[in-house]
């Protein structure tokens, strides 16, 4: 009778785990790139320097103009602006410096996010270059919102979001105390910069978590995502205390969010079951297709939200159009690289005049040069349409959320500070318990 009982190594769970491990190993081998000269760390840093210089070249002309008088819901931007103004810089100019800095930094943080998700430097490079194009919904949309508009906090938060998502993705995938700390702190920083941007972060984080759950160990990875959100919520409780946070969602300040959700929910009844089934059938336990899943769901989600929230085009744009620009940059780069990879492995595709690999390399380099040339040559059309001379103001202009927060002081504020203190203490204590072993 005992002979009929399968050994532990022969159980369905064990066989399935072994099969998954073999698939992951094969996937890593299939996407492993040959260490050629253009795939070295030196070339990567040169590429990052190129991205930074190109983007700075596009946005630097705006640094001398004072920022549009704006309101803030979180303390991050006003604190940085005040710190810069201590050096004798006019406050509105210091805010513009903050705007320009984060505008310049966004393609860099997005590069590392795409690299973590796709494991391909070329996809990350192309995504960042597309993001700098002076068109809508790319750089032009972000400059209009940050330099000319009143949505600067959203764009600053958009720069921090890829960094937060990279750490969240790493923690969901492999655990680790450092990943948890960086993910929690960066997520909290997004919320303290812009509550609206934090909502965007949660949407993308949900897509990333779902993509990892499809690869196996779903409960563990889902729990890891919740742990990050729990710690992030604790870290921001000193600002968004529980009573104020609940009122912010249910009160008049949450009207825009509730309106967008009311537009999205009817669409979700039809699209989510179809998209969810589509994702499960095509991407379940297929690690090589994970970047395709993330980029396609990223695009579909923000197309639907942008349409529901006010439109995609400049004349009828929504606040989600900047995230839509990121998703378009990602999926265009992914499609281009996948087509090049297909050309390399397709034995039927051969050319007598020029070797196939040489031609594909030429096409890839040509596409990179094309993006750079288009960006540089179109810079002249990317100028200020009108300049307003703004007065100097000495104090931080508080937004509606900030003003409403002041009504939740006293015991509510004390509770928020206590939660933040307990969260910080928990992270420190956790470090001692995990100094010798990795977090699950």
């Amino acid at each position: 009778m005992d002979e009929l009982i399968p050994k532990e190594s022969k159980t369905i769970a064990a066989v399935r785990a072994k099969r998954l491990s073999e698939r992951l190993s094969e996937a890593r081998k299939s996407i492993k790139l040959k260490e050629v000269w253009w795939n070295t760390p030196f070339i990567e840093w040169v590429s990052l320097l190129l991205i930074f210089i190109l983007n700075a070249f596009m946005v630097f002309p705006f640094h001398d103009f004072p920022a549009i008088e704006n309101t803030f819901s979180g303390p991050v931007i006003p604190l940085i602006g005040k710190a810069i103004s201590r050096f004798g810089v006019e406050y509105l100019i210091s805010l513009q410096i903050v705007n320009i800095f984060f505008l310049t930094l966004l393609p860099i943080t997005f590069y590392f996010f795409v690299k973590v998700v796709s494991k391909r430097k070329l996809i990350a490079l192309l995504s960042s270059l597309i993001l700098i194009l002076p068109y809508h919904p790319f750089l032009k949309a972000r400059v209009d919102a940050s330099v000319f508009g009143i949505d600067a906090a959203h764009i600053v938060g958009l720069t921090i979001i890829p960094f937060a998502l990279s750490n969240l993705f790493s923690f969901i995938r492999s655990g680790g105390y450092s990943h948890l700390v960086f993910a929690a702190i960066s997520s909290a920083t997004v919320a303290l910069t812009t509550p609206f941007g934090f909502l965007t972060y949660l949407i993308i984080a949900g897509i990333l978590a779902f993509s990892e759950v499809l690869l196996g160990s779903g409960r563990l990875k889902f729990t890891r995502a919740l742990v990050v959100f729990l710690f992030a919520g604790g870290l921001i409780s000193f600002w968004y205390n529980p009573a104020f946070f609940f009122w912010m969602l249910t009160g008049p300040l949450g009207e825009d969010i509730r309106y967008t959700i009311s537009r999205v929910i009817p669409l979700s009844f039809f699209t989510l079951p179809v998209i969810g089934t589509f994702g499960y059938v095509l991407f379940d336990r297929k690690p090589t297709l994970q970047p395709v899943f993330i980029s396609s769901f990223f695009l579909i989600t923000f197309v639907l939200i942008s349409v529901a929230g006010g439109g995609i085009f400049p004349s009828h744009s929504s606040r989600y159009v900047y995230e839509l620009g990121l998703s378009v940059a990602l999926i265009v780069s992914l499609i281009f690289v996948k087509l090049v990879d297909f050309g390399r492995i397709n034995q039927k595709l051969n050319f007598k005049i020029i070797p196939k690999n040489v031609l594909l390399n030429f096409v890839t380099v040509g596409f990179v040069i094309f993006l750079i040339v288009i960006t540089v040559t179109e810079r002249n059309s990317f100028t200020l349409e009108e300049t307003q001379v703004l007065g100097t103001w000495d104090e931080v202009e508080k937004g509606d959320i900030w003003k409403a927060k002041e009504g939740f002081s006293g015991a509510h504020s004390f509770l928020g500070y206590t939660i933040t203190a307990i969260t910080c203490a928990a992270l420190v204590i956790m470090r001692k318990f995990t100094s010798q072993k990795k977090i699950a």
Side-chain angles (χ1 to χ4, degrees):
M1 189 69 179
D2 293 339
E3 296 177 354
L4 298 178
I5 301 176
K7 296 181 180 180
E8 184 178 356
S9 60
K10 298 297 184 180
T11 60
I12 295 176
V15 172
R16 190 175 188 182
K18 182 179 179 181
R19 187 183 301 119
L20 176 60
S21 177
E22 292 174 352
R23 286 186 178 181
L24 290 172
S25 178
E26 292 174 0
R28 294 189 186 99
K29 292 179 182 178
S30 65
I31 63 177
K32 187 176 181 181
L33 297 175
K34 186 179 179 180
E35 192 68 14
V36 290
W37 67 270
W38 61 80
N39 194 39
T40 59
F42 173 76
I43 296 299
E44 180 180 18
W45 286 109
V46 171
S47 300
L48 287 172
L49 181 62
L50 171 66
I51 293 170
F52 181 83
I53 292 176
L54 184 62
N55 198 33
F57 173 73
M58 299 298 294
V59 301
F60 183 76
F62 308 123
H63 80 283
D64 283 335
F65 298 95
I68 300 295
E69 191 168 346
N70 210 338
T71 58
F72 300 98
S73 302
V76 172
I77 298 177
L79 283 176
I80 300 175
K82 278 292 184 182
I84 296 175
S85 65
R86 296 293 183 184
F87 295 93
V89 181
E90 183 184 338
Y91 183 69
L92 287 179
I93 294 293
S94 68
L95 288 181
Q96 196 71 296
I97 292 174
V98 175
N99 294 338
I100 296 299
F101 173 77
F102 281 97
L103 275 172
T104 306
L105 198 61
L106 174 57
I108 303 297
T109 60
F110 191 62
Y111 174 94
F112 285 108
F113 167 69
V114 175
K115 180 183 173 183
V116 168
V117 170
S118 66
K119 299 185 180 67
R120 297 292 297 271
K121 298 175 185 177
L122 180 58
I123 297 177
L125 173 63
L126 294 176
S127 298
S128 298
L129 290 176
I130 293 174
L131 211 59
I132 304 174
L133 290 173
Y135 304 117
H136 191 90
F138 306 118
L139 183 58
K140 177 175 173 51
R142 299 195 301 274
V143 169
D144 288 343
S146 180
V147 178
F148 303 138
I150 57 174
D151 212 7
H154 187 181
I155 304 304
V156 172
L158 194 66
T159 303
I160 307 172
I161 285 174
F163 179 73
L165 290 172
S166 299
N167 287 287
L168 173 69
F169 190 71
S170 298
F171 180 68
I172 292 175
R173 173 176 287 177
S174 58
Y177 177 79
S178 60
H179 290 151
L180 170 61
V181 172
F182 283 119
I185 293 177
S186 55
S187 302
T189 304
V190 173
L192 293 173
T193 302
T194 162
F196 189 86
F198 188 68
L199 178 61
T200 296
Y201 163 79
L202 291 178
I203 294 172
I204 306 175
I207 296 173
L208 295 180
F210 186 33
S211 73
E212 274 296 315
V213 167
L214 289 177
L215 298 182
S217 303
R219 282 182 293 182
L220 173 62
K221 292 177 178 179
F222 181 73
T223 302
R224 286 172 175 170
L226 290 182
V227 167
V228 172
F229 300 150
L230 178 64
F231 276 105
L235 290 175
I236 65 175
S237 291
F238 77 96
W239 192 261
Y240 305 104
N241 61 68
F244 171 61
F245 179 74
F246 178 78
W247 178 86
M248 188 171 64
L249 291 179
T250 58
L253 291 180
E255 184 177 352
D256 290 340
I257 294 177
R258 293 196 299 272
Y259 172 75
T260 301
I261 292 176
S262 67
R263 296 281 301 275
V264 171
I265 286 179
L267 291 173
S268 302
F269 286 138
F270 301 97
T271 58
L272 282 183
V274 175
I275 293 175
T277 304
F278 171 78
Y280 181 80
V281 171
L282 293 185
F283 302 107
D284 182 40
R285 302 188 186 275
K286 297 181 177 68
T288 55
L289 296 180
Q290 187 180 29
V292 178
F293 171 87
I294 293 173
S295 59
S296 58
F297 271 56
F298 193 4
L299 178 64
I300 292 171
T301 299
F302 283 105
V303 165
L304 292 176
I305 294 178
S306 296
V307 171
I312 297 175
F313 301 102
S315 58
H316 298 85
S317 183
S318 76
R319 295 187 70 186
Y320 292 96
V321 73
Y322 323 115
E323 288 81 3
L324 179 62
L326 268 64
S327 62
V328 171
L330 174 57
I331 199 164
V332 169
S333 304
L334 181 67
I335 291 174
F336 177 84
V337 173
K338 290 296 183 181
L339 288 176
V340 172
D341 290 344
F342 176 77
R344 293 185 191 280
I345 63 176
N346 190 349
Q347 301 297 330
K348 297 181 180 179
L349 186 63
N350 289 306
F351 303 95
K352 297 180 179 180
I353 301 177
I354 185 172
K356 179 173 63 176
N357 287 337
V358 174
L359 177 61
L360 293 174
N361 291 339
F362 178 79
V363 170
T364 302
V365 175
F367 187 50
V368 171
I369 295 176
F370 171 77
L371 293 175
I372 296 174
V373 170
I374 288 294
T375 301
V376 174
T377 55
E378 290 293 315
R379 184 177 184 243
N380 291 334
S381 62
F382 188 63
T383 56
L384 288 169
E385 296 180 356
E386 62 178 309
T387 303
Q388 296 180 349
V389 179
L390 303 176
T392 304
W393 47 298
D394 298 326
E395 298 296 329
V396 174
E397 190 70 18
K398 301 175 181 178
D400 292 336
I401 292 179
W402 193 325
K403 292 177 181 178
K405 171 188 172 296
E406 295 175 348
F408 290 82
S409 56
H412 299 302
S413 181
F414 177 77
L415 175 61
Y417 277 96
T418 301
I419 294 175
T420 299
I422 293 174
T423 303
C424 294
L427 285 174
V428 173
I429 294 173
M430 186 179 295
R431 175 59 179 168
K432 294 183 178 180
F433 282 100
T434 58
S435 57
Q436 300 299 327
K437 63 180 181 178
K438 203 175 187 181
I439 294 180

